[in-house]
Amino acid sequence: MRILALVPGGIGDQILFFPTLDSLKRLYPNAYIDVVVEPRSKGAYRVSKFSHDKSLQVLPFDFKDRNGLADWGNLLGIMRDREYDAVISLGQRWVVGLLLWLTGIPIRISYSDLGNSWLLTNPVPLKTEQYAAGMYHDLLQGFGASMPCPELSVTLLKEDLRWSDDEQQRLGVKDSGYILIHGGASQLSQIKGLDKIYPVEKWQQIIQDLQTRQPQLPVVLIQGPEDKPLCDQLVRSCPGVKVTSPPDVGKLAATIAAANLMLCTDSAPMHLAVAVQTYTIALFGPTDPAKLLPAGDRYIGIRSSTGKIADISPEKVLEKVWGG
């Protein structure tokens, strides 16, 4: 059996899809599965438990680009050539439903509330008022399956664990442990009108309090390609803060797994923290923690009452840190 999954979105969306992929492999252990993702998200599959499984292939396609007929036609050609038996799609655009219909794939599964149910063979109700991983997992109902959604989990490669261990030695935090902070989010979220960047001066207040109360527990900043200005300002204003720049998702996940506590905004590192079960406090502006964090004491979402993440006070964050 050959199954195709269309999974647009960022790295966080791929991590949230992993439980669905896990259950799909349990349902059809001998199936060949191809996952079509945006190029920027392909690296997420480094931490998938199926990363070395030859029956899983990850194919890049830029769903967000201004694709012309030729681009969609090329994707359609790939989908037809591989003669899939079934396709599931997380895409919520009508053009994706049309694309599925044009493929002629016998079993076509997506959400039924998008106005394109007639293009699908097995539509599934879209239930948005739940944790996103569960919403994605609902698509398996299209196969007639009824099973609980597994917890988020990732597999860390030995080379990534070694890199994290060496990095902890370099930073001098191997024996002490550390608090990890990811302070921003991607420019894409800004383009989409989602304010997910917490102000530098407020991070500064939080870090200074952490350093005062627990001077023996270092604070480490995650610096991605877009985080350098924020990290530079925090290093200047908070002496003793350390910076790490994991080069890929696997090494980032290993770094998060070794942390005592993760403080972050709603972002891909937050989902990795959940997957490696690191105690996490995440800040939310326009998005809903109930849909992006699982229930449980290890994962705390702080939502701005105004919808602006900058309006969350450092005192409120520190209250959660110290359990007040």
Side-chain angles (χ1 to χ4, degrees), residues 6 10 30 67 73 95 105 107 115 118 125 135 146 149 153 161 174 208 211 213 228 252 262 264 272 274 301 307:
L6 303 181
N30 298 318
N67 298 301
V95 68
I105 295 174
I107 300 174
W118 62 278
M135 183 180 76
S146 178
C149 179
S153 66
L161 290 169
K174 177 64 178 175
Q208 289 174 344
Q211 291 177 324
R213 296 206 200 188
K228 191 175 187 306
L252 173 59
M262 174 76 161
C264 59
L272 287 172
V274 172

Side-chain angles (χ1 to χ4, degrees), residues 98 166 253:
L98 178 61
D166 291 344

Side-chain angles (χ1 to χ4, degrees), residues 20 22 47-48 53-54 57 62 96 146 182 193 207 213 232 234 237 247 249 254-255 298 303 310:
T20 303
D22 187 15
V47 294
S48 165
D53 190 331
K54 293 183 180 180
Q57 185 173 2
D62 197 344
V96 175
S146 178
H182 181 252
I207 291 171
R213 296 206 200 188
D232 286 347
L234 289 176
S237 61
V249 173
T255 300
R298 298 188 67 82
R303 188 178 189 182

Side-chain angles (χ1 to χ4, degrees), residues 168 237 260:
Q168 291 170 56
S237 61
N260 297 58

Side-chain angles (χ1 to χ4, degrees), residues 42-261:
K42 188 174 180 180
Y45 287 82
R46 181 181 180 89
V47 294
S48 165
K49 68 173 64 176
F50 306 112
S51 60
H52 293 299
D53 190 331
K54 293 183 180 180
S55 67
L56 177 72
Q57 185 173 2
V58 182
L59 308 173
F61 180 78
D62 197 344
F63 292 95
K64 302 295 184 186
D65 198 9
R66 296 180 178 178
N67 298 301
L69 290 176
D71 299 302
W72 290 109
N74 288 337
L75 180 58
L76 178 60
I78 292 172
M79 293 164 74
R80 282 180 167 172
D81 289 345
R82 299 199 175 202
E83 299 182 343
Y84 295 106
D85 300 289
V87 56
I88 61 174
S89 174
L90 275 64
Q92 298 185 23
R93 298 169 59 189
W94 71 268
V95 68
V96 175
L98 178 61
L99 183 71
L100 300 187
W101 179 71
L102 290 172
T103 63
I105 295 174
I107 300 174
R108 302 185 298 276
I109 302 168
S110 189
Y111 298 111
S112 61
D113 296 47
L114 307 178
N116 61 358
S117 297
W118 62 278
L119 298 170
L120 308 171
T121 60
N122 301 33
V124 173
L126 176 62
K127 300 177 181 178
T128 59
E129 299 302 318
Q130 61 174 316
Y131 182 39
M135 183 180 76
Y136 296 163
H137 197 264
D138 284 348
L139 287 171
L140 297 186
Q141 296 172 16
F143 290 103
S146 178
M147 60 180 69
C149 179
E151 293 182 351
L152 255 62
S153 66
V154 294
T155 297
L156 302 179
L157 302 179
K158 290 182 179 179
E159 62 193 89
D160 294 337
L161 290 169
R162 282 196 298 269
W163 183 93
S164 175
D165 190 72
D166 291 344
E167 182 72 349
Q168 291 170 56
Q169 296 282 6
R170 182 186 72 83
L171 295 172
V173 301
K174 177 64 178 175
D175 297 325
S176 63
Y178 54 95
I179 296 173
L180 194 60
I181 292 179
H182 181 252
S186 70
Q187 291 181 355
L188 181 61
S189 67
Q190 301 294 83
I191 294 171
K192 293 165 68 176
L194 299 177
D195 179 8
K196 294 185 178 182
I197 297 181
Y198 197 54
V200 173
E201 60 273 13
K202 296 195 174 185
W203 278 125
Q204 179 182 342
Q205 293 180 53
I206 292 169
I207 291 171
Q208 289 174 344
D209 187 90
L210 294 172
Q211 291 177 324
T212 300
R213 296 206 200 188
Q214 289 201 342
Q216 77 284 1
L217 194 60
V219 174
V220 178
L221 306 177
I222 299 172
Q223 179 177 290
E226 299 168 355
D227 302 320
K228 191 175 187 306
L230 181 145
C231 290
D232 286 347
Q233 292 181 63
L234 289 176
V235 168
R236 286 194 299 267
S237 61
C238 302
V241 166
K242 303 172 186 294
V243 178
T244 185
S245 300
D248 57 54
V249 173
K251 295 172 182 60
L252 173 59
T255 300
I256 295 171
N260 297 58
L261 168 67

